[in-house]
């Protein structure tokens, strides 16, 4: 397939799927086959991801568990189109992104994947609603449909009355919900949660995980939740353990 | 882009320091430019006001009126050159002028022009013993009908009207006919007295459609290089000190623009470092480096435009506050716009230093920051 052709059209729809891939609506959100990431050092190399194989189904929620340096972040970054694998195959939402360049990966992140970061990282000078609309402003603007979607998401996340509040005026849980809303704005195939509860106390952390599970399941969106905390795994369909760059 | 504008609007305090420095730099730039324009105007006004196309000096004069002599025979040769419609004699004399009832040391610096053609703004030359005075003398107390005494010989002349923008090398011009000029010259500088029909220089009007530079060349050819002819526009630039003033001020303006580049570069470099985390997140959710850098440039352009607007108001206020005639400051719309353009270029160039930093922000920095 000619990669350039894929970007001449509109949004990715999964119809650029690889050979033998199932129909788009049932296609796994993520397929990784022998994905490897190697960083060359002065006279050696560091293997950050060692021939990882993982499949995340379209509406599956997977907890990615492992100690620091085990390769969780690298796997997540490759799945989210932030990094390219040194070798191996990566298919996100039916689109083979294994050989994509930086520009194409930017579009993957904009259209196929949603991110919720560890420290939430909302834009501090934008209101909750504007933080959601940023996603639309970064790509081809859709205008009114995006505004309607932002309002709908804020309503569903229980933030309708907080739409005009700046992040500094929101509680930790509310900020996390805005971040979830932002991740859902582009109607992604896969949402990556990076330690979503690490900045919250236990009670709030559990409440946020419940919210994440409910939102993902109600929308049929796949999710990978990177965590150190084994308690988080109870909210996911299954856990994948990593160690020394390998998926166990 | 929208993001960049919102940040400017919602966090103005973040840009206040840079905005204040840019405002001061813009004001300095406009003030320096205004001074240059004022100085050039006060040096060249009289020459620019000459109602002619070409100015003819004798070749040894190095384009200076005082050293130049044009004899009637030479003038006849110039008259015969193709493209010359009319010639007129001109001479200048720099003196002190005394107003009635003023003390012996209270002198006005003036340049008395004796010419056969009135300056551009006025229809006719005054009669014998009368002068048209430069507008700037009005601010010094000269009024219509006043008799001024010129030079040590105290030659009386009566002011019968005023002309605008006719200063000569910082001195206010008085315009009169050749006869009065010769009389004043004889009474005050007998050593410089010229023979009948001899002038310091010639003004040349061209036939319609003639090219001034080409005619100037033909005149010098026709006179066997006994003349040095140049267009009136070029003559203004060759006046003593004009080019030196321009070069000096332009260098100072250049240094000021360089300082503006450094200020913008440093400010936005710091801002970029501070925003590295935010840029990482935005890149991770699909922002392109191009749009992030575009936002940075947009902020610099808006900030510079705002700073220049405030500085322009301050410069105009300064111009109004400074008493006329005390400082040769001339704030023109063209100078304000030129200063804005210089600073906009400086802003974009300054931002360019942050381009590499924006490109280098890794979207991976947004993820797994503690793992």
């Amino acid at each position: 397939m000619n990669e350039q052709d894929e970007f001449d059209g509109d949004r990715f729809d999964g119809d650029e799927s690889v050979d033998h891939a199932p129909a788009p609506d049932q296609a796994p959100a993520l397929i990784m086959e022998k994905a490897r990431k190697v960083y060359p050092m002065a006279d050696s190399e560091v293997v950050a991801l060692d021939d990882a194989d993982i499949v995340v189904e379209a509406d599956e929620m997977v907890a990615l568990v492992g100690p620091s340096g085990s390769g969780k972040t690298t796997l997540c970054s490759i799945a989210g189109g932030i990094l390219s694998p040194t070798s191996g195959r990566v298919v996100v939402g039916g689109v083979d992104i294994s050989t994509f360049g930086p520009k194409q990966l930017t579009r993957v992140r904009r259209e196929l994947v949603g991110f919720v970061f560890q420290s939430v990282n909302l834009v501090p000078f934008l209101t909750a609603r504007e933080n959601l609309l940023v996603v639309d402003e970064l790509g081809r603007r859709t205008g009114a449909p995006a505004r309607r979607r932002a309002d709908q998401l804020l309503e569903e996340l229980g933030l309708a009355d907080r739409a005009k509040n700046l992040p500094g005026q929101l509680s930790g849980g509310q900020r996390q919900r805005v971040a979830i809303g932002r991740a859902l704005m582009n109607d992604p195939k896969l949402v990556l949660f990076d330690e979503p509860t690490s900045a919250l106390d236990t009670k709030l952390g559990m409440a946020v995980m419940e919210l994440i599970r409910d939102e993902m399941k109600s929308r049929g969106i796949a999710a990978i939740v990177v965590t150190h905390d084994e308690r988080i795994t109870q909210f996911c369909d299954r856990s994948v353990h990593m160690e020394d760059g390998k998926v166990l | 882009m929208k993001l960049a504008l919102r940040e400017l609007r919602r966090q103005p305090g973040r840009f206040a320091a840079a905005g204040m420095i840019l405002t001061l730099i813009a004001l300095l730039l406009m003030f320096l430019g205004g001074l240059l324009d004022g100085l050039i105007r006060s040096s060249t006004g009289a020459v620019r006001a000459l109602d002619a196309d070409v100015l003819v000096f004798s070749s040894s004069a190095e384009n200076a009126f005082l050293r130049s002599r044009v004899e009637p025979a030479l003038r006849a040769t110039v008259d015969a050159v193709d493209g010359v419609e009319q010639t007129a004699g001109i001479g200048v004399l720099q003196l002190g002028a005394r107003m009635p009832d003023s003390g012996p040391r209270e002198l006005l610096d003036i340049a008395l022009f004796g010419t056969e053609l009135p300056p551009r703004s006025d229809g006719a030359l005054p009669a014998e013993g009368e002068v048209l005075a430069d507008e700037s003398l009005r601010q010094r107390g000269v009024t219509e009908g006043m008799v001024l005494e010129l030079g040590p010989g105290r030659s009386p002349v009566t002011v019968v009207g005023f002309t605008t923008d006719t200063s000569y090398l910082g001195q206010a011009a008085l315009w009169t006919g050749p006869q009065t000029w010769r009389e004043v010259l004889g009474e005050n500088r007998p050593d410089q007295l010229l023979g009948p029909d001899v002038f310091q220089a010639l003004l040349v009007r061209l036939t319609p459609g003639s090219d001034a530079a080409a005619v100037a060349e033909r005149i010098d050819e026709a006179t066997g290089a006994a003349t040095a002819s140049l267009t009136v526009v070029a003559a203004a630039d060759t006046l003593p000190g004009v080019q030196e003033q321009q070069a000096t001020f332009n260098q100072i303006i250049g240094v000021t623009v360089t300082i503006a580049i450094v200020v913008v570069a440093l400010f936005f470099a710091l801002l970029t470092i501070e925003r590295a985390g935010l840029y990482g997140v935005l890149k991770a959710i699909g922002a392109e480096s191009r749009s992030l850098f575009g936002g940075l440039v947009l902020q610099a352009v808006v900030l510079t435009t705002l700073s220049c607007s405030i500085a322009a108001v301050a410069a105009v206020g300064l111009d109004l506050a400074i008493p006329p005639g005390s400082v040769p400051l001339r704030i023109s719309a063209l100078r304000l716009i030129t200063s804005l353009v210089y600073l906009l270029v400086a802003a974009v160039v300054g931002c360019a230093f942050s381009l590499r930093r924006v490109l280098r922000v890794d979207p991976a920095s947004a993820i797994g920051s503690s793992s």
Side-chain angles (χ1 to χ4, degrees):
Chain A
M1 178 180 297
N2 184 341
E3 286 168 10
Q4 194 56 48
D5 290 347
E6 295 172 11
F7 290 92
D8 290 339
D10 290 332
R11 195 175 188 280
F12 285 120
D13 282 326
D15 52 350
E16 302 93 342
S17 55
V18 290
D19 291 343
H20 312 299
D25 51 344
Q26 289 123 30
L30 173 69
I31 303 170
M32 261 192 195
E33 289 172 357
K34 300 278 180 205
R36 189 175 173 81
K37 185 68 181 176
V38 178
Y39 292 103
M41 303 298 278
D43 50 358
S44 63
E45 55 181 29
V46 173
V47 180
L49 192 63
D50 194 357
D51 292 339
D53 290 312
I54 186 172
V55 175
V56 179
E57 295 300 336
D59 59 351
E60 194 178 19
M61 202 164 152
V62 174
L64 196 59
V65 189
S68 291
S70 60
K72 308 188 297 290
T73 299
T74 307
L75 187 146
C76 227
S77 299
I78 291 173
I82 286 177
L83 291 176
S84 293
T86 310
S87 62
R89 185 163 169 264
V90 181
V91 181
V92 178
V95 180
D96 189 341
I97 66 168
S98 314
T99 56
F100 276 16
K103 209 171 171 181
Q104 294 158 310
L105 287 178
T106 298
R107 194 172 159 192
V108 168
R109 296 197 296 274
R110 208 159 56 214
E111 296 183 1
L112 292 181
V113 197
F115 288 96
V116 177
F117 304 103
Q118 186 171 352
S119 48
V120 181
N121 278 325
L122 298 177
V123 182
F125 51 85
L126 297 184
T127 64
R129 185 173 186 261
E130 288 164 350
N131 260 290
L132 265 62
L133 288 170
V134 157
V135 177
D136 184 57
E137 286 165 13
L138 295 178
R140 283 182 200 169
R141 287 182 194 181
T142 58
R147 288 195 290 275
R148 278 198 298 275
R149 180 160 177 80
D151 291 336
Q152 185 193 345
L153 281 168
L154 288 171
E155 178 77 40
E156 288 167 7
L157 290 163
L159 289 167
D161 58 337
R162 297 284 181 185
K164 289 182 180 168
N165 285 62
L166 294 171
Q169 299 165 320
L170 299 173
S171 68
Q174 287 169 332
R175 283 200 289 271
Q176 192 65 278
R177 278 187 273 166
V178 175
I180 293 168
R182 181 174 70 182
L184 296 173
M185 263 303 280
N186 57 351
D187 195 16
K189 305 287 182 195
L190 174 69
V191 179
L192 299 161
F193 292 87
D194 181 25
E195 306 273 6
T197 60
S198 65
L200 307 174
D201 61 44
T202 308
K203 194 176 165 194
L204 189 55
M206 295 305 119
V208 164
M209 275 314 298
E210 256 179 59
L211 176 74
I212 290 173
R213 185 189 57 199
D214 294 347
E215 289 299 325
M216 295 301 112
K217 287 297 172 191
S218 65
R219 294 165 202 279
I221 296 173
I224 295 178
V225 183
V226 175
T227 183
H228 283 95
D229 189 349
E230 287 286 350
R231 288 173 300 177
I232 298 300
T233 58
Q234 62 177 300
F235 296 95
C236 300
D237 297 319
R238 65 185 168 103
S239 300
V240 172
H241 289 263
M242 290 195 72
E243 208 173 293
D244 298 331
K246 291 184 196 307
V247 174
L248 302 176
Chain B
M1 297 294 178
K2 226 172 168 180
L3 200 65
L5 290 178
R6 279 203 191 111
E7 186 181 15
L8 267 175
R9 212 171 56 230
R10 301 223 175 123
Q11 297 190 322
R14 173 174 256 203
F15 301 89
M20 207 165 69
I21 295 169
L22 275 174
T23 303
L24 291 175
I25 289 175
L27 181 59
L28 178 63
L29 210 56
M30 290 166 184
F31 189 73
L32 285 170
L35 274 182
L36 173 61
D37 291 345
L39 279 172
I40 298 299
R41 182 182 155 104
S42 70
S43 291
T44 64
V47 173
R48 283 185 285 106
L50 296 174
D51 194 9
D53 305 296
V54 172
L55 198 52
V56 180
F57 295 99
S58 56
S59 59
S60 58
E62 294 176 357
N63 305 333
F65 282 100
L66 281 180
R67 286 194 289 266
S68 182
R69 298 286 180 274
V70 179
E71 304 285 340
L74 201 57
R75 180 173 179 175
T77 310
V78 174
D79 276 325
V81 171
D82 182 32
V84 173
E85 185 182 71
Q86 182 192 357
T87 60
I90 187 170
V92 64
L93 175 62
Q94 289 164 277
L95 290 168
R98 187 174 287 107
M99 289 192 288
D101 305 325
S102 61
R105 291 178 186 277
E106 290 176 48
L107 295 176
L108 304 171
D109 292 327
I110 59 102
L112 178 69
F113 278 85
T115 169
E116 295 175 332
L117 277 178
R120 185 178 298 132
S121 49
D122 298 274
L125 277 172
E128 293 299 318
E130 294 177 349
V131 293
L132 288 172
D134 184 64
E135 186 75 24
S136 62
L137 287 174
R138 206 196 283 269
Q139 285 133 18
R140 304 289 301 275
V142 175
T143 54
E144 213 167 307
M146 181 180 276
V147 176
L148 298 174
E149 294 174 345
L150 305 184
R154 301 208 168 193
S155 310
V157 290
T158 306
V159 177
V160 293
F162 289 92
T163 59
T164 53
D165 187 17
T166 59
S167 290
Y168 177 71
L169 301 178
Q171 296 163 326
L174 296 179
W175 299 85
T176 187
Q179 187 56 39
T180 303
W181 170 69
R182 275 181 212 284
E183 284 169 17
V184 176
L185 189 65
E187 288 163 11
N188 293 280
R189 301 271 193 275
D191 55 313
Q192 293 174 17
L193 191 59
L194 303 177
D197 299 326
V198 177
F199 284 92
Q200 289 175 344
L202 287 181
L203 300 173
V204 175
R205 276 183 179 166
L206 305 183
T207 52
S210 299
D211 175 55
V215 173
E217 268 182 43
R218 282 206 292 275
I219 289 171
D220 293 345
E221 271 175 37
T223 59
T227 54
S229 309
L230 59 170
T231 63
V232 168
V233 176
D237 285 339
T238 59
L239 285 171
V242 168
Q243 286 186 338
E244 288 79 359
Q245 283 170 353
Q246 277 176 334
T248 306
F249 272 85
N250 285 335
Q251 280 175 25
I252 300 172
I253 287 169
V255 170
T256 309
V257 172
T258 308
I259 292 171
I261 292 175
V262 173
V263 167
V264 173
L266 279 176
F267 176 73
F268 281 95
L270 285 174
L271 210 60
T272 309
I273 292 169
E274 197 183 301
R275 285 176 185 159
L278 179 62
Y279 282 167
V281 170
L282 291 173
K283 279 191 177 185
I285 62 173
E288 290 173 358
S289 297
R290 192 178 50 182
S291 69
L292 295 178
F293 181 67
L296 202 68
V297 172
L298 182 67
Q299 285 182 335
V301 165
V302 172
L303 192 64
T304 305
T305 307
L306 283 175
S307 298
C308 281
S309 305
I310 296 168
V313 171
V316 171
L318 207 61
D319 193 19
L320 294 172
I322 291 174
S326 60
V327 179
L329 181 67
R330 182 169 185 257
I331 300 294
S332 66
L334 180 66
R335 178 55 68 180
L336 298 181
I337 292 167
T338 310
S339 302
L340 169 67
V341 171
Y342 283 160
L343 286 180
L344 285 178
V345 172
V348 175
V349 172
C351 277
F353 289 100
S354 294
L355 177 59
R356 207 167 135 249
R357 209 175 290 278
V358 173
L359 291 175
R360 275 200 336 219
V361 171
D362 188 353
S365 64
I367 199 164
S369 51
S370 70
S371 58

